[in-house]
Amino acid sequence: MRGLQTNRHSCFHHLLLLFLILLRSGRCFAIVCYHCDSIALPECSQTLGEVGVLPYKECPTQLTCAMSIVDSITYRGCGAETPITGATYSKTCSSNLCNAGVYPPGRLKCHHCAGQECVAAPAAKPKPCRYHLEEDQCYTDVISSLEAYRGCASEQNHTLSTAAKLCDINGCNDEQGAWTQVCATCDSAIGRGCKIDLFQVNTGRCNVSLYEECQQDVLLGEQEDKYCFSFRRLSRVVRGCSTKMQTDLESYVDKLEKCNTSDHCNAGCITQQKCFTCNSVDQELCRTNITAIANSTCSSAEASSCFSCEYSNWSIQRGCGAPPANPQITKCYECDEGAGCNSKDFTRCYQCSTDQAGAGCANWESPGEIYIEECAEPAAPCVVVSYNNGTTARGCQKSDFSCASANVASCLPCEGSFCNKGSFPEERLWCHQCRGVQDCEEISRGQTAMPCPLRANEPEDQELACLEYFDVNSKEIVRGCRSDPELYYECLLRSNHLGSCRTCHSQACNNSPGRELRAGYKLEAKALSLLQGKSSAISKYSNVGHGIWLLLSASYLST
Ligand SMILES: *[C@@H]1O[C@H](CO)[C@@H](O)[C@H](O)[C@H]1NC(C)=O
Ligand SMILES: *[C@@H]1O[C@H](CO)[C@@H](O)[C@H](O)[C@H]1NC(C)=O
Ligand SMILES: *[C@@H]1O[C@H](CO)[C@@H](O)[C@H](O)[C@H]1NC(C)=O
Ligand SMILES: *[C@@H]1O[C@H](CO)[C@@H](O)[C@H](O)[C@H]1NC(C)=O
Ligand SMILES: *[C@@H]1O[C@H](CO)[C@@H](O)[C@H](O)[C@H]1NC(C)=O
Ligand SMILES: *[C@@H]1O[C@H](CO)[C@@H](O)[C@H](O)[C@H]1NC(C)=O
Ligand SMILES: *[C@@H]1O[C@H](CO)[C@@H](O)[C@H](O)[C@H]1NC(C)=O
C-alpha cells in the first residue's frame, strides 16, 4: 500500500492492471506479483520501476510477493516460488505488484549504451547493473570518436580497453567521450609576437594574439597525451598542439608547459625578462661587483633571454636577448632562468696536480707548473682536492665532479676567480716525501712537503707520522709518510738498525739534515773498517786500480 501512496501515477496503472486481472480470473483472495529473473530478462534487475516492462503473474495459492538476490541474480515472483536459499537479500510483501522497483534500493546504477551514439554524454537515466555485486563499478570506454561503450564492469559483455575509465558512484560514467581541443600555435623562430603581445606588454597577465590555431581530437581516457603546450628556452618560444609537435621539441617534453582547461589556454604571455644591462668600459662594477648594480626589465618584448660576454681585452658586456656577434668577443653565455640570470661571472681558477707539478701544487710554496684554467661553465666554483692516493689537484669544479666521491680524501670548493690557492689540505699531516741525494739531502723551506696519502684501510685512531732514514742499500736519504706501509717496512729493514728509522708527528717534521741520518751508518762503517783495517786498505788500492783502468779505457776509446 505504501507504493500506492507515494506514486499516484503508477498507482493508477497498478489499479488498472489489478482490475483487468480480477475481471479475467474472477477470483477474490489471490495476489498478482511481478515474475521474472535477470538471467532470462535483464530488465528484471535493471528496472527503475517503470510500468509495463516486467511480466507479472497471478499467484494461485499465496498471499505474498517476493524479491531476492541469489548469486548476484535478481528474482521476482510469488512468495513461495521465489528462491531464497543462499540469498544475499530477500524481501516479501503482501499487496498486488508490490515486488517492483530497484532492489535492493541502494544498488549501483550506471549509464548503459554501445556504439556511435554512446560517444556523446548520455541523456538517459542510469540503470541498475544487471548483476548485483557489492563491489561494482561503472565504466566509460571510448574506442574512437565513433565508438564508445558504457555500462557496469560486472556485466562482462564488453572487454574493456586500456583507455576505459572506471568510477563507483551512481551515474558517474556520464562524461563526454570525445571533443576537439583548439590551441594557439606559433614559433618565435619564424615570426614575431609569439612571446608577448606588443599591445599588452604592461598589463601583467596577457595573451598573445599573433597566432594560428591547431586542433586535435581528444578522447576520454587519453587526455594525458593531448594538451596545448608552450615551450620557452633562451630566445625561443613555441606554442602548439601536442599531437603536432615540432620534432626538435620532442627531447624537451618534460620542460613543456601543458594545459587543457580551455581553448587557446596556451596563449599566455611569457613573463618579461629582466637582465643586467651594463658594460665594464663605462661602469667598472659590471665586472668587479655586479651585486652593486640593479637588473632591469628588457625593453624589447622579443628579448626572452639575457647574455654576458667577455671581449679579448677583458671588458665585460651584459644585456638582454641573444649575445651580440663581434669578432672581439672571446666567450659568452645566454641564460633565461629567472630575473638577472646574467649576473654570473666568468671564473678562472688555478690548475695543477701534484702528479705533474710536484709538492708545489699542494703546499703552494714554489710556482712551477701551476696554470690558469678558464672555466667552461660560467660561475663555476674553483676547487682544490686531495685524493686518497695522495695526489692533490686544483682547477675549475666540473659539473660531473663531486667532493663526496669515494676517492676524495678532502676537498674545498670556493666561489670567485683564483680562490683555490694556499696550502691544502691543512688538517692532514704533511711530510717531506722524497728520495735521493740531491734534493732530499738538506730540506730548505719545506718545498717537498706534501699531504700524506689516505689509505683505504687506515685505522681511524692511528697516529699519523712522518719518517726519514738513510737507505743502506741505495745509499740514499729517504723521507715520507708512515701511512705508506711499504715505505715504513723499507724504513725498518733498510735503515741500519732499529732507531735509525726516525718518525715524528708534526707538520713536515722529517727534515733532519742528511748528515745526521747518515751518521749512524758512518759510525758503524768506521768501526767495521777499524776492525778489518788491512782488508780495508786492500780494497782502497783496488779502488784506485779500477780508477786507473777506467782512465786508460776512456783515453783508448777517445783515440
Ligand atoms: C551489456 O549488457 C547490458 C545489460 O544487459 C546492456 O544494457 C548493454 O547495452 C550491453 N553492452 C554491450 C556492450 O553489449
Ligand atoms: C587569456 O586566455 C585565457 C584562455 O583563453 C583566458 O581565460 C584569459 O581570460 C585570457 N586573459 C586575458 C588577459 O585576455
Ligand atoms: C587535463 O589533463 C589532465 C591530465 O593531464 C586530466 O586529468 C584532465 O582530466 C584533463 N582535463 C580535461 C578537461 O581534459
Ligand atoms: C659589492 O657591492 C655590494 C653592494 O653595494 C657591497 O655590499 C659589497 O661589499 C661589494 N662587494 C665587493 C667585493 O666589493
Ligand atoms: C674592449 O673591446 C671592446 C670591443 O672591441 C671595446 O668596445 C672596448 O672599448 C674595449 N675596452 C677597453 C677597456 O679598451
Ligand atoms: C633582479 O631584480 C629582481 C627584482 O627586480 C630581484 O628579485 C632579483 O633577485 C634580481 N636578480 C639578481 C640576480 O640580482
Ligand atoms: C690519484 O687519483 C686521481 C683521481 O682518481 C687521479 O687523477 C690521479 O692520476 C691519481 N694519481 C696517481 C699518482 O695515481
Side-chain angles (χ1 to χ4, degrees):
M1 290 303 277
R2 269 186 69 197
L4 292 176
Q5 281 163 358
T6 53
N7 192 331
R8 280 162 182 273
H9 185 67
S10 74
C11 159
F12 174 72
H13 278 274
H14 286 192
L15 282 176
L16 196 70
L17 280 167
L18 195 62
F19 178 71
L20 290 172
I21 293 158
L22 289 177
L23 212 68
R24 261 178 46 180
S25 66
R27 285 197 216 171
C28 281
F29 295 107
I31 189 167
V32 177
C33 300
Y34 285 116
H35 179 82
C36 60
D37 66 68
S38 62
I39 305 171
L41 183 71
E43 285 74 17
C44 191
S45 53
Q46 296 191 292
T47 179
L48 290 171
E50 308 94 324
V51 172
V53 176
L54 301 183
Y56 51 83
K57 178 182 175 184
E58 189 184 343
C59 305
T61 58
Q62 294 145 42
L63 293 174
T64 56
C65 299
M67 293 181 278
S68 68
I69 309 286
V70 180
D71 283 341
S72 81
I73 310 296
T74 305
Y75 295 92
R76 299 176 195 262
C78 303
E81 290 168 11
T82 307
I84 53 162
T85 321
T88 39
Y89 294 91
S90 68
K91 184 189 170 185
T92 57
C93 56
S94 52
S95 62
N96 284 315
L97 300 178
C98 62
N99 61 345
V102 176
Y103 183 76
R107 71 188 291 170
L108 183 66
K109 300 186 190 80
C110 302
H111 292 282
H112 290 78
C113 58
Q116 189 169 353
E117 54 279 14
C118 198
V119 174
K125 280 188 175 175
K127 290 193 293 182
C129 299
R130 180 169 178 174
Y131 305 107
H132 181 270
L133 296 176
E134 292 300 330
E135 305 268 321
D136 203 351
Q137 284 181 305
C138 303
Y139 70 83
T140 315
D141 193 6
V142 183
I143 308 300
S144 72
S145 57
L146 298 173
E147 185 186 0
Y149 300 90
R150 299 175 198 261
C152 302
S154 60
E155 279 154 13
Q156 295 191 329
N157 55 357
H158 167 73
T159 307
L160 296 183
S161 79
T162 51
K165 278 186 80 174
L166 294 162
C167 58
D168 342 83
I169 297 171
N170 283 338
C172 61
N173 60 340
D174 62 347
E175 287 179 271
Q176 193 178 344
W179 60 94
T180 302
Q181 187 171 53
V182 182
C183 309
T185 177
C186 59
D187 186 342
S188 70
I190 295 166
R192 296 169 74 84
C194 194
K195 294 176 177 174
I196 299 178
D197 190 78
L198 297 169
F199 305 103
Q200 304 181 44
V201 163
N202 297 316
T203 60
R205 272 186 65 238
C206 81
N207 288 331
V208 296
S209 52
L210 285 177
Y211 58 76
E212 292 181 4
E213 285 182 345
C214 58
Q215 295 192 344
Q216 53 196 3
D217 291 329
V218 186
L219 305 181
L220 188 75
E222 60 161 22
Q223 297 119 295
E224 301 282 319
D225 316 321
K226 302 248 178 112
Y227 47 82
C228 300
F229 72 87
S230 63
F231 169 74
R232 172 182 186 170
R233 194 177 124 81
L234 300 179
S235 52
R236 181 135 180 245
V237 170
V238 186
R239 305 173 191 271
C241 291
S242 58
T243 53
K244 292 162 189 158
M245 199 182 297
Q246 291 84 335
T247 46
D248 59 326
L249 294 192
E250 277 161 13
S251 52
Y252 293 108
V253 166
D254 300 340
K255 302 205 167 87
L256 300 178
E257 201 174 300
K258 305 170 183 179
C259 69
N260 60 3
T261 48
S262 66
D263 286 351
H264 310 137
C265 61
N266 65 334
C269 296
I270 62 164
T271 51
Q272 246 182 311
Q273 188 57 272
K274 286 184 168 194
C275 305
F276 288 98
T277 307
C278 62
N279 194 323
S280 68
V281 179
D282 309 321
Q283 205 176 3
E284 184 56 18
L285 285 174
C286 192
R287 183 222 315 285
T288 55
N289 189 359
I290 195 70
T291 57
I293 300 180
N295 63 67
S296 57
T297 303
C298 296
S299 55
S300 164
E302 288 294 311
S304 55
S305 58
C306 305
F307 74 87
S308 194
C309 293
E310 190 176 68
Y311 287 80
S312 54
N313 61 10
W314 290 48
S315 73
I316 300 278
Q317 188 189 348
R318 303 179 200 260
C320 293
N326 183 324
Q328 301 295 307
I329 288 175
T330 51
K331 57 186 168 185
C332 286
Y333 66 82
E334 190 180 357
C335 63
D336 64 2
E337 58 281 356
C341 63
N342 63 338
S343 64
K344 290 181 223 149
D345 290 312
F346 297 101
T347 37
R348 294 180 172 79
C349 303
Y350 288 112
Q351 185 187 44
C352 60
S353 162
T354 49
D355 291 354
Q356 285 90 43
C361 182
N363 63 25
W364 213 243
E365 295 272 346
S366 56
E369 304 237 33
I370 293 171
Y371 304 99
I372 288 168
E373 182 182 7
E374 309 250 356
C375 301
E377 261 173 67
C382 298
V383 67
V384 48
V385 52
S386 164
Y387 293 103
N388 289 343
N389 61 9
T391 296
T392 296
R394 300 173 193 261
C396 298
Q397 185 168 343
K398 313 287 185 293
S399 52
D400 61 351
F401 171 83
S402 166
C403 277
S405 300
N407 61 348
V408 170
S410 50
C411 179
L412 183 67
C414 59
E415 300 288 333
S417 287
F418 303 123
C419 61
N420 61 342
K421 58 187 180 220
S423 60
F424 184 85
E426 291 178 48
E427 73 274 18
R428 185 116 186 121
L429 183 70
W430 289 53
C431 299
H432 295 287
Q433 299 178 43
C434 59
R435 173 188 291 271
V437 182
Q438 267 86 34
D439 54 344
C440 219
E441 190 71 27
E442 293 298 323
I443 297 296
S444 61
R445 283 211 67 211
Q447 76 274 30
T448 50
M450 278 211 283
C452 290
L454 186 72
R455 295 291 147 191
N457 53 357
E458 184 175 283
E460 294 272 329
D461 55 345
Q462 184 184 324
E463 201 185 356
L464 289 169
C466 299
L467 62 80
E468 54 189 350
Y469 67 99
F470 175 70
D471 186 323
V472 296
N473 291 8
S474 63
K475 307 279 187 293
E476 284 174 336
I477 301 291
V478 179
R479 305 181 197 265
C481 299
R482 193 179 64 185
S483 58
D484 179 345
E486 265 172 54
L487 192 68
Y488 187 43
Y489 184 68
E490 276 182 24
C491 183
L492 294 174
L493 204 71
R494 294 203 195 160
S495 62
N496 211 27
H497 56 79
L498 211 68
S500 64
C501 172
R502 291 199 194 174
T503 58
C504 60
H505 303 281
S506 58
Q507 296 290 20
C509 58
N510 57 344
N511 59 355
S512 314
R515 65 192 134 70
E516 230 176 77
L517 297 172
R518 308 173 171 267
Y521 174 73
K522 286 258 174 71
L523 212 66
E524 267 174 52
K526 210 179 229 170
L528 215 66
S529 65
L530 276 176
L531 271 175
Q532 317 170 319
K534 206 178 172 190
S535 65
S536 147
I538 290 166
S539 93
K540 210 172 192 173
Y541 281 124
S542 77
N543 277 346
V544 172
H546 276 293
I548 291 167
W549 189 87
L550 277 172
L551 213 66
L552 283 175
S553 57
S555 61
Y556 174 74
L557 281 171
S558 60
T559 53

